[in-house]
Amino acid sequence: MTYLVAADLPRESAGRRFRDLLNRPGILQLPGAHNGMAALQAKAAGFDALYLSGAAMTASMGLPDLGIITVDEVAFFVRQIVRAAGLPLLVDADTGYGEALNVMHATRVFEDAGAGALHLEDQILPKKCGHLNDKKIADAHDMAAKVAAAAKARRNLVIIARTDAAASEGLDGAVARAKLYMEAGADAIFPEALNTAEMFRAFAERMPGVPLLANMTEFGKTPFFTATEFEAMGYAMVIWPVSSLRMANKAQAELYAAISRDGGTHKVVERMQTRTELYATIGLHDYEALDSSIVQTIVPAGMPQRR
């Protein structure tokens, strides 16, 4: 049904449900969902959990991913995605929006908003996408303090520590940081911007027993690997962080170009989600059924023709 019916809501916390998924056999696949509609479509495709990317959030707001947005802005996205799909959600918490107390605040806000997991990165502000150049890396012990703060603030939330150190400190530096972050209370590690299969395998071999997350972003430093290939390399999770936004943005740009060129949408209407498909995705009739005062919507059959 819908999120309005309490009996249909999950009884376990999102954190426990995310942890249960992580403990299942096989790699946990986490497609990025940049809003509630994307979350519903990913759920319909059969995914059990989702990822909310800081890069996708900021881009959808018309902003660069430089640590500009606030905890409350992110919580708005968390709430709409969790409300729409009801799936455990991994949230990109950037650098934690400050120091230890700020990290604790973000952890509480995101968990209360319905997140199942978050990841913190060891950059300093202004932070950058992990696949860009000249990232400024935080002191490892300062980052460990943030991880410890998040672990202290969470109830059931899964804490994933991301390290961007491979580019500047090499694999040895990234592994050393990962071990320190695990000691501080992280549940899993996200080694960012590894660029060869050999690097992915080597990192996993040096972190035995630790759940690892792989980032399969497009147009970055990582070659294309499938979920099955990442699993074989020793990874427990994989994200496709901005893919949904990239596809939606490309289609949207083509729509506006068509309207400008043709004076209307008539040449691209066959590429649109139909009204019937839209209403089915958002469950319009389920909501109508909850309120007997609303007469069920009759969807027009196709596009009317000129006479």
Side-chain angles (χ1 to χ4, degrees):
M1 286 290 288
T2 79
Y3 78 98
L4 296 175
V5 180
D8 294 331
L9 298 178
R11 298 190 180 277
E12 290 288 328
S13 71
R16 285 180 177 150
R17 287 184 289 129
F18 192 96
R19 200 178 298 275
D20 287 344
L21 291 172
L22 191 54
N23 289 333
R24 290 190 321 190
I27 190 167
L28 178 57
Q29 300 182 46
L30 301 160
H34 61 284
N35 59 24
M37 173 56 72
L40 285 170
Q41 291 177 313
K43 183 178 183 179
F47 290 98
D48 296 318
L50 302 171
Y51 176 63
L52 177 58
S53 156
M57 275 187 284
T58 53
S60 73
M61 298 165 71
L63 296 171
D65 183 23
L66 296 173
I68 296 171
I69 57 176
T70 67
V71 170
D72 288 342
E73 288 174 309
V74 178
F76 170 80
F77 284 87
V78 173
R79 283 191 292 269
Q80 67 167 291
I81 290 168
V82 170
R83 179 179 61 197
L87 297 178
L89 178 68
L90 166 58
V91 179
D92 180 353
D94 283 348
T95 63
Y97 313 96
E99 299 307 318
L101 293 179
N102 309 91
V103 170
M104 295 178 79
H105 172 64
T107 301
R108 289 276 11 97
V109 169
F110 294 165
E111 187 164 27
D112 289 345
L118 64 75
H119 70 70
L120 295 164
E121 64 198 53
D122 56 5
Q123 290 191 54
I124 60 175
L125 295 174
K127 54 94 51 183
K128 300 176 73 171
C129 168
H131 288 251
L132 298 181
N133 60 300
D134 297 327
K135 295 173 289 184
K136 299 175 183 177
I137 306 299
D139 177 85
H141 294 280
D142 290 344
M143 172 63 177
K146 289 185 179 184
V147 172
K152 192 170 187 176
R154 55 96 179 268
R155 293 190 184 98
N156 307 122
L157 202 70
V158 175
I159 306 297
I160 301 173
R162 167 178 146 179
T163 178
D164 288 65
S168 57
E169 299 178 3
L171 197 64
D172 288 345
V175 168
R177 284 172 172 268
K179 290 179 177 179
L180 183 63
Y181 304 160
M182 289 299 296
E183 291 171 3
D187 299 295
I189 295 293
F190 172 4
E192 176 62 307
L194 304 185
N195 54 30
T196 66
E198 290 73 23
M199 287 186 73
F200 277 103
R201 291 193 194 96
F203 191 94
E205 288 168 1
R206 295 175 64 177
M207 298 295 297
V210 174
L212 301 178
L213 182 149
N215 179 7
M216 191 55 263
T217 191
E218 303 83 15
F219 313 109
K221 294 185 177 181
T222 301
F224 279 111
F225 296 111
T226 66
T228 301
E229 288 171 326
F230 279 122
E231 182 178 2
M233 293 179 202
Y235 287 74
M237 296 168 276
V238 56
I239 56 174
W240 295 269
V242 194
S243 308
S244 65
L245 183 77
R246 294 189 204 282
M247 290 288 286
N249 282 356
K250 185 74 170 180
Q252 195 165 259
E254 292 172 356
L255 166 69
Y256 291 135
I259 295 173
S260 176
R261 180 186 64 243
D262 305 324
T265 63
H266 50 287
K267 291 188 178 181
V268 294
V269 71
E270 73 283 351
R271 295 170 57 193
M272 293 183 182
Q273 182 186 52
T274 66
R275 186 183 294 267
T276 299
E277 290 167 340
L278 170 61
Y279 289 170
T281 301
I282 61 178
L284 171 65
H285 294 323
D286 292 334
Y287 286 89
E288 290 179 333
L290 291 173
D291 189 338
S292 59
S293 71
I294 303 174
V295 177
Q296 181 169 316
T297 298
I298 298 174
V299 181
M303 286 289 293
Q305 301 300 311
R306 291 185 181 181
R307 294 182 180 178

